[in-house]
Amino acid sequence: MNRRILRGALAGALLALIPAVTACSGGDDAPAESVTKVAFDGAHVDADAFAGAAAGEGVTVIDVRTPEEFAAGHLPGAVNIDVSAATFAAEVSTLDPAADYAVYCQSGNRSRVALEAMAAAGVERTVGLEGGIGAWGGEVVTG
């Protein structure tokens, strides 16, 4: 019993020290206070939180704008599934409902529509970019 209590206390102490050690890190990693854990719960988040979510392992970034808008500039690695296309529902039905998706558009309006449609299709592990690509301060690629 005493060993279990001691182990729990040590684990708690180590968990409490992780943010302090990370913040003091001299590496190229982002400061601990700038890393935001995002819940893939269908909500829209600010650009910093979205960037953190999009950078997560296994996360698929989806641009729901038109192919022309996508070609003019999109987030690196994003795939284009146009929410206004007649094929949107069919394309969403091919997505893994257990996977994580970071979804954006131009201003945040179409991504809200897309997230609702995705949830209705059983794809619920999503997050949207508040303000759309217009609020994005990171890299944008063309083509």
Side-chain angles (χ1 to χ4, degrees):
M1 181 72 162
N2 287 340
R3 278 187 160 171
R4 193 176 307 167
I5 293 171
L6 181 59
R7 261 188 257 158
L10 285 173
L14 285 173
L15 287 174
L17 287 174
I18 289 173
V21 171
T22 304
C24 294
S25 169
D28 293 331
D29 295 341
E33 58 273 359
S34 72
V35 176
T36 304
K37 180 75 172 156
V38 173
F40 286 84
D41 61 1
H44 273 65
V45 298
D46 66 27
D48 289 338
F50 187 86
E57 186 175 330
V59 175
T60 300
V61 179
I62 301 176
D63 183 323
V64 296
R65 300 175 301 153
T66 65
E68 295 78 20
E69 290 173 299
F70 182 81
H74 59 272
L75 276 59
V79 296
N80 186 217
I81 305 178
D82 182 358
V83 71
S84 64
T87 58
F88 182 75
E91 291 182 69
V92 167
S93 72
T94 67
L95 298 176
D96 178 358
D100 295 332
Y101 300 94
V103 180
Y104 72 94
C105 63
Q106 186 64 38
S107 66
N109 294 326
R110 286 178 281 178
S111 59
R112 283 183 185 359
V113 171
L115 293 185
E116 287 178 16
M118 291 169 76
V123 180
E124 297 179 344
R125 296 198 41 81
T126 60
V127 65
L129 174 57
E130 186 65 45
I133 198 168
W136 181 252
E139 181 182 3
V140 175
V141 296
T142 58

Coordinates of all heavy atoms in Angstrom, one line a residue, residues 16-82:
A16 N 4.1 17.4 -12.5 CA 4.1 18.9 -12.2 C 5.4 19.5 -12.7 O 5.4 20.7 -13.0 CB 4.0 19.0 -10.7
L17 N 6.5 18.8 -12.8 CA 7.8 19.4 -13.2 C 7.9 19.5 -14.7 O 8.7 20.3 -15.2 CB 9.0 18.5 -12.7 CG 9.2 18.6 -11.2 CD1 10.3 17.7 -10.8 CD2 9.6 20.1 -10.8
I18 N 7.2 18.7 -15.5 CA 7.3 18.7 -16.9 C 7.2 20.1 -17.5 O 8.0 20.5 -18.3 CB 6.3 17.7 -17.6 CG1 6.8 16.2 -17.2 CG2 6.2 17.9 -19.1 CD1 5.9 15.1 -17.7
P19 N 6.1 20.9 -17.2 CA 6.0 22.2 -17.8 C 7.3 23.1 -17.5 O 7.7 23.8 -18.4 CB 4.8 22.8 -17.2 CG 4.0 21.6 -16.8 CD 5.0 20.6 -16.4
A20 N 7.8 23.0 -16.3 CA 8.9 23.8 -15.9 C 10.1 23.4 -16.7 O 10.9 24.3 -17.2 CB 9.1 23.7 -14.4
V21 N 10.4 22.1 -16.8 CA 11.5 21.6 -17.5 C 11.4 22.0 -19.0 O 12.4 22.4 -19.6 CB 11.7 20.1 -17.3 CG1 12.8 19.5 -18.2 CG2 12.0 19.8 -15.9
T22 N 10.3 21.8 -19.6 CA 10.0 22.1 -21.0 C 10.2 23.6 -21.3 O 10.9 23.9 -22.3 CB 8.6 21.7 -21.4 OG1 8.4 20.3 -21.1 CG2 8.4 21.9 -22.9
A23 N 9.8 24.4 -20.4 CA 9.9 25.9 -20.6 C 11.4 26.3 -20.5 O 11.8 27.3 -21.1 CB 9.1 26.6 -19.5
C24 N 12.2 25.6 -19.8 CA 13.6 25.9 -19.7 C 14.4 25.3 -20.8 O 15.6 25.4 -20.8 CB 14.1 25.4 -18.3 SG 13.4 26.3 -16.9
S25 N 13.8 24.5 -21.6 CA 14.5 23.8 -22.7 C 15.2 24.8 -23.6 O 14.7 25.8 -24.0 CB 13.6 23.0 -23.5 OG 14.2 22.5 -24.6
G26 N 16.4 24.5 -23.9 CA 17.2 25.3 -24.8 C 17.0 24.9 -26.3 O 17.7 25.5 -27.2
G27 N 16.2 23.9 -26.6 CA 16.0 23.4 -27.9 C 15.2 24.3 -28.8 O 14.8 25.4 -28.4
D28 N 14.9 23.9 -30.0 CA 14.2 24.6 -31.0 C 12.7 24.5 -30.8 O 11.9 25.0 -31.6 CB 14.6 24.2 -32.4 CG 16.0 24.6 -32.7 OD1 16.5 25.6 -32.2 OD2 16.6 23.9 -33.5
D29 N 12.3 23.7 -29.8 CA 10.8 23.5 -29.6 C 10.2 24.8 -29.2 O 10.8 25.7 -28.6 CB 10.6 22.4 -28.5 CG 11.1 21.1 -28.9 OD1 11.3 20.8 -30.1 OD2 11.3 20.2 -28.0
A30 N 8.9 24.9 -29.5 CA 8.1 26.0 -29.1 C 8.0 26.1 -27.5 O 8.0 25.0 -26.9 CB 6.7 25.9 -29.6
P31 N 7.9 27.3 -27.0 CA 7.8 27.4 -25.5 C 6.5 26.6 -25.1 O 5.5 26.6 -25.8 CB 7.6 28.9 -25.3 CG 8.2 29.5 -26.5 CD 8.0 28.5 -27.6
A32 N 6.6 26.1 -23.9 CA 5.5 25.3 -23.4 C 4.2 26.1 -23.3 O 3.1 25.5 -23.6 CB 5.8 24.7 -22.0
E33 N 4.2 27.3 -23.0 CA 3.0 28.1 -22.9 C 2.3 28.4 -24.3 O 1.2 28.7 -24.3 CB 3.2 29.4 -22.2 CG 4.2 30.3 -22.8 CD 5.7 30.1 -22.3 OE1 5.9 29.2 -21.5 OE2 6.6 30.8 -22.8
S34 N 3.1 28.2 -25.4 CA 2.5 28.4 -26.7 C 1.9 27.1 -27.3 O 1.2 27.2 -28.3 CB 3.5 29.0 -27.7 OG 4.4 28.0 -28.0
V35 N 2.1 26.0 -26.7 CA 1.5 24.7 -27.1 C 0.2 24.5 -26.5 O 0.0 24.5 -25.3 CB 2.5 23.5 -26.8 CG1 1.8 22.2 -27.2 CG2 3.8 23.7 -27.4
T36 N -0.9 24.5 -27.3 CA -2.2 24.3 -26.9 C -2.8 23.0 -27.3 O -2.7 22.6 -28.4 CB -3.1 25.4 -27.5 OG1 -2.5 26.7 -27.2 CG2 -4.5 25.4 -26.9
K37 N -3.3 22.2 -26.3 CA -3.9 21.0 -26.6 C -5.3 21.2 -27.1 O -6.1 21.9 -26.4 CB -3.9 20.1 -25.3 CG -4.6 18.8 -25.5 CD -3.7 17.8 -26.2 CE -4.3 16.4 -26.2 NZ -3.8 15.6 -27.2
V38 N -5.6 20.8 -28.3 CA -6.9 21.0 -28.9 C -7.8 19.8 -28.8 O -7.3 18.7 -29.2 CB -6.8 21.5 -30.3 CG1 -8.1 21.7 -31.0 CG2 -6.0 22.8 -30.3
A39 N -9.0 20.0 -28.4 CA -10.0 18.9 -28.5 C -10.6 18.9 -29.9 O -11.1 19.9 -30.3 CB -11.1 19.1 -27.4
F40 N -10.6 17.7 -30.5 CA -11.3 17.6 -31.8 C -12.7 17.4 -31.5 O -13.2 16.2 -31.7 CB -10.6 16.5 -32.6 CG -9.2 16.9 -33.1 CD1 -8.1 16.7 -32.3 CD2 -9.1 17.3 -34.4 CE1 -6.9 17.1 -32.8 CE2 -7.8 17.7 -34.9 CZ -6.7 17.6 -34.1
D41 N -13.5 18.4 -31.2 CA -14.8 18.3 -30.8 C -15.8 19.2 -31.7 O -16.9 19.5 -31.3 CB -15.0 18.8 -29.3 CG -14.6 20.2 -29.1 OD1 -14.2 20.9 -30.1 OD2 -14.6 20.7 -27.9
G42 N -15.3 19.5 -32.9 CA -16.2 20.3 -33.8 C -16.2 21.8 -33.6 O -16.9 22.5 -34.3
A43 N -15.4 22.3 -32.6 CA -15.4 23.7 -32.3 C -14.4 24.4 -33.3 O -13.5 23.8 -33.9 CB -14.9 23.9 -30.9
H44 N -14.5 25.7 -33.4 CA -13.6 26.5 -34.1 C -12.6 27.1 -33.1 O -13.1 27.6 -32.0 CB -14.3 27.6 -34.9 CG -14.7 27.2 -36.2 ND1 -15.7 26.2 -36.5 CD2 -14.3 27.6 -37.5 CE1 -15.8 26.0 -37.8 NE2 -15.0 26.8 -38.4
V45 N -11.3 27.2 -33.4 CA -10.3 27.7 -32.5 C -9.5 28.7 -33.2 O -9.5 28.8 -34.5 CB -9.4 26.5 -32.0 CG1 -10.2 25.5 -31.2 CG2 -8.7 25.8 -33.2
D46 N -8.7 29.5 -32.5 CA -7.8 30.5 -33.1 C -6.7 29.9 -33.9 O -6.5 28.7 -33.8 CB -7.3 31.5 -32.1 CG -6.4 30.9 -31.0 OD1 -5.7 29.9 -31.4 OD2 -6.3 31.4 -29.9
A47 N -6.0 30.7 -34.6 CA -5.0 30.2 -35.6 C -3.9 29.5 -34.8 O -3.4 28.5 -35.4 CB -4.4 31.4 -36.4
D48 N -3.4 29.9 -33.7 CA -2.4 29.2 -32.9 C -2.8 27.8 -32.5 O -2.1 26.9 -32.7 CB -1.9 30.0 -31.7 CG -1.2 31.3 -32.1 OD1 -0.6 31.4 -33.2 OD2 -1.1 32.2 -31.2
A49 N -4.0 27.7 -32.0 CA -4.5 26.4 -31.6 C -4.7 25.5 -32.8 O -4.4 24.3 -32.7 CB -5.8 26.6 -30.8
F50 N -5.2 26.1 -33.9 CA -5.4 25.3 -35.1 C -4.1 24.8 -35.6 O -4.0 23.7 -36.1 CB -6.1 26.2 -36.2 CG -6.5 25.4 -37.4 CD1 -7.7 24.7 -37.4 CD2 -5.7 25.4 -38.5 CE1 -8.1 24.0 -38.6 CE2 -6.0 24.7 -39.6 CZ -7.3 24.0 -39.7
A51 N -3.0 25.6 -35.6 CA -1.7 25.2 -36.1 C -1.2 24.0 -35.2 O -0.7 23.1 -35.8 CB -0.7 26.4 -36.0
G52 N -1.4 24.1 -33.9 CA -1.0 23.0 -33.1 C -1.8 21.7 -33.4 O -1.2 20.6 -33.5
A53 N -3.1 21.9 -33.7 CA -3.9 20.7 -34.0 C -3.5 20.1 -35.3 O -3.4 18.9 -35.5 CB -5.4 21.1 -34.0
A54 N -3.3 21.0 -36.3 CA -2.9 20.6 -37.7 C -1.6 19.9 -37.7 O -1.4 19.0 -38.5 CB -2.9 21.8 -38.6
A55 N -0.7 20.2 -36.8 CA 0.6 19.6 -36.7 C 0.6 18.3 -36.0 O 1.6 17.6 -36.0 CB 1.6 20.6 -36.0
G56 N -0.5 17.9 -35.4 CA -0.6 16.6 -34.7 C -0.4 15.4 -35.6 O -0.8 15.4 -36.8
E57 N 0.1 14.4 -35.0 CA 0.4 13.2 -35.8 C -0.9 12.6 -36.3 O -1.9 12.4 -35.5 CB 1.1 12.1 -34.9 CG 1.5 10.9 -35.7 CD 2.4 10.0 -34.9 OE1 3.1 10.4 -34.0 OE2 2.3 8.8 -35.1
G58 N -1.0 12.3 -37.6 CA -2.2 11.6 -38.1 C -3.3 12.5 -38.4 O -4.4 12.1 -38.9
V59 N -3.2 13.8 -38.2 CA -4.3 14.8 -38.5 C -4.3 15.1 -40.0 O -3.2 15.4 -40.6 CB -4.1 16.1 -37.7 CG1 -5.1 17.1 -38.1 CG2 -4.1 15.8 -36.2
T60 N -5.5 15.1 -40.6 CA -5.7 15.5 -42.0 C -6.2 16.9 -42.0 O -7.2 17.2 -41.3 CB -6.6 14.5 -42.7 OG1 -6.1 13.2 -42.6 CG2 -6.9 14.9 -44.1
V61 N -5.5 17.8 -42.7 CA -6.0 19.1 -42.9 C -6.8 19.2 -44.1 O -6.4 18.8 -45.2 CB -4.8 20.1 -43.0 CG1 -5.3 21.5 -43.2 CG2 -3.9 20.0 -41.7
I62 N -8.0 19.7 -44.0 CA -9.0 19.8 -45.1 C -9.3 21.2 -45.4 O -9.8 21.9 -44.5 CB -10.2 19.0 -44.9 CG1 -9.9 17.5 -44.6 CG2 -11.2 19.1 -46.0 CD1 -11.1 16.6 -44.3
D63 N -9.1 21.7 -46.6 CA -9.5 23.0 -47.1 C -10.9 22.7 -47.9 O -10.9 22.0 -48.8 CB -8.5 23.5 -48.1 CG -8.8 24.9 -48.6 OD1 -9.9 25.2 -48.9 OD2 -7.8 25.6 -48.8
V64 N -11.9 23.4 -47.4 CA -13.3 23.2 -48.0 C -13.7 24.2 -49.0 O -14.8 24.3 -49.3 CB -14.3 23.0 -46.9 CG1 -14.1 21.7 -46.0 CG2 -14.5 24.2 -46.0
R65 N -12.7 25.0 -49.4 CA -13.0 26.0 -50.4 C -13.0 25.4 -51.8 O -12.8 24.2 -52.0 CB -11.9 27.1 -50.4 CG -11.9 27.8 -49.0 CD -10.7 28.8 -48.9 NE -9.5 28.2 -49.1 CZ -8.4 28.8 -49.6 NH1 -8.4 30.1 -49.9 NH2 -7.3 28.1 -49.8
T66 N -13.3 26.3 -52.8 CA -13.3 25.8 -54.2 C -11.9 25.4 -54.7 O -10.9 25.9 -54.1 CB -13.9 26.9 -55.2 OG1 -12.9 28.0 -55.2 CG2 -15.2 27.3 -54.7
P67 N -11.8 24.6 -55.7 CA -10.5 24.2 -56.2 C -9.7 25.4 -56.7 O -8.5 25.5 -56.5 CB -10.8 23.3 -57.4 CG -12.1 22.7 -57.1 CD -12.9 23.8 -56.3
E68 N -10.4 26.5 -57.2 CA -9.7 27.7 -57.6 C -9.1 28.4 -56.4 O -7.9 28.9 -56.5 CB -10.6 28.6 -58.4 CG -11.1 28.0 -59.7 CD -12.3 27.0 -59.5 OE1 -12.9 26.9 -58.5 OE2 -12.4 26.2 -60.5
E69 N -9.8 28.5 -55.3 CA -9.3 29.2 -54.1 C -8.2 28.3 -53.5 O -7.2 28.9 -53.1 CB -10.4 29.3 -53.1 CG -11.5 30.3 -53.4 CD -12.7 30.2 -52.4 OE1 -13.3 29.1 -52.3 OE2 -12.9 31.2 -51.8
F70 N -8.3 27.0 -53.5 CA -7.3 26.1 -53.0 C -6.0 26.4 -53.8 O -4.9 26.5 -53.2 CB -7.8 24.7 -53.2 CG -6.8 23.7 -52.6 CD1 -6.7 23.4 -51.3 CD2 -6.0 23.0 -53.5 CE1 -5.8 22.4 -50.8 CE2 -5.1 22.0 -53.0 CZ -5.0 21.7 -51.6
A71 N -6.1 26.4 -55.2 CA -4.9 26.6 -56.0 C -4.2 27.9 -55.8 O -3.0 28.0 -55.8 CB -5.3 26.4 -57.5
A72 N -5.0 28.9 -55.4 CA -4.4 30.3 -55.2 C -3.7 30.4 -53.9 O -2.8 31.3 -53.7 CB -5.6 31.3 -55.2
G73 N -3.9 29.4 -53.0 CA -3.1 29.4 -51.7 C -3.8 28.6 -50.7 O -5.0 28.8 -50.4
H74 N -3.1 27.6 -50.1 CA -3.6 26.7 -49.1 C -2.5 26.4 -48.1 O -1.4 26.6 -48.3 CB -4.2 25.5 -49.7 CG -3.3 24.7 -50.5 ND1 -3.1 25.0 -51.9 CD2 -2.4 23.7 -50.2 CE1 -2.2 24.1 -52.4 NE2 -1.8 23.3 -51.4
L75 N -2.9 25.8 -47.0 CA -2.0 25.3 -46.0 C -1.2 24.2 -46.5 O -1.8 23.3 -47.2 CB -2.7 24.9 -44.7 CG -3.1 26.1 -43.7 CD1 -3.9 27.1 -44.3 CD2 -3.7 25.5 -42.5
P76 N 0.1 24.1 -46.2 CA 0.9 22.9 -46.6 C 0.3 21.6 -46.2 O -0.1 21.4 -45.1 CB 2.2 23.2 -46.0 CG 2.3 24.6 -45.6 CD 0.8 25.0 -45.4
G77 N 0.2 20.7 -47.1 CA -0.3 19.3 -46.9 C -1.8 19.2 -46.8 O -2.3 18.1 -46.6
A78 N -2.5 20.3 -47.0 CA -4.0 20.3 -47.0 C -4.5 19.5 -48.2 O -3.9 19.5 -49.3 CB -4.5 21.7 -47.0
V79 N -5.7 18.9 -48.0 CA -6.4 18.3 -49.1 C -7.6 19.1 -49.4 O -8.2 19.8 -48.5 CB -6.8 16.8 -48.9 CG1 -5.5 16.0 -48.8 CG2 -7.6 16.7 -47.6
N80 N -8.1 19.2 -50.6 CA -9.2 20.0 -51.0 C -10.5 19.1 -51.1 O -10.5 18.2 -52.0 CB -8.9 20.8 -52.3 CG -10.0 21.8 -52.7 OD1 -10.2 21.9 -53.8 ND2 -10.6 22.5 -51.7
I81 N -11.5 19.4 -50.3 CA -12.8 18.8 -50.4 C -13.8 20.0 -50.4 O -14.1 20.5 -49.4 CB -13.1 17.8 -49.3 CG1 -12.0 16.7 -49.2 CG2 -14.5 17.2 -49.6 CD1 -12.3 15.7 -48.1
D82 N -14.2 20.4 -51.6 CA -15.1 21.6 -51.7 C -16.5 21.3 -51.1 O -17.2 20.5 -51.6 CB -15.2 21.9 -53.2 CG -16.0 23.2 -53.5 OD1 -16.6 23.8 -52.6 OD2 -16.1 23.5 -54.7

